[in-house]
Amino acid sequence: MPANTTPIFSIAGDAQWINAVTANNTGDLTSGTIYLAFTAGTNGSYLQKIRFRHTGANAAAVVARVWINNGSTTGTAANNTLFDEITIAANATFTTNAASVNYELPLGFAIPSPYRIYVTIGAGASGGIACTVIGGDY
């Protein structure tokens, strides 16, 4: 018999973000420049999606990596897992009269407190990449 037959819903929306993410070429989260993109609320959080956008001109494509951390130190590889990654195309010209493309990864899962979502970029993005996580807290 299931432990919980009643669906739960988040009580408050939660959007967290970081700007100007730059390079980290390590294969895990234990070193290099890492960015905390989301921290679960006291009772856990539901994560809907994560969106990436250029914040300036980036001459080359980059890969964005999304990591789940169990709330402990990122310096221990066993505390982190690579959830997903997405290629973000170059945006050589960043102007005020043309929109740059956004890139979304669906998440669609709950994380317990004190889990966190970290983001790394696999190559230099001189103009920077912004990252926004949309979800809700229980």
Side-chain angles (χ1 to χ4, degrees), residues 13-120:
D14 192 354
Q16 298 178 32
W17 59 88
I18 52 175
N19 290 313
V21 177
T22 56
N24 177 343
N25 293 317
T26 59
D28 59 25
L29 209 56
T30 60
S31 64
T33 305
I34 62 174
Y35 294 89
L36 177 59
F38 192 91
T39 301
T42 303
N43 297 312
S45 298
Y46 177 81
L47 302 175
Q48 181 184 7
K49 62 185 171 183
I50 188 167
R51 176 179 273 197
F52 298 93
R53 294 190 66 83
H54 292 277
T55 57
N58 291 304
V62 297
V63 60
R65 294 185 173 96
V66 178
W67 303 83
I68 300 173
N69 169 268
N70 65 7
S72 298
T73 178
T74 58
T76 303
N79 294 336
N80 317 305
T81 186
L82 176 60
F83 173 71
D84 208 347
E85 54 190 4
I86 187 170
T87 299
I88 300 174
N91 188 35
T93 305
F94 190 80
T95 68
T96 59
N97 59 357
S100 61
V101 176
N102 66 64
Y103 299 85
E104 278 189 7
L105 282 175
L107 298 177
F109 60 88
I111 59 172
S113 182
Y115 276 44
R116 299 179 187 122
I117 301 296
Y118 284 91
V119 173
T120 61

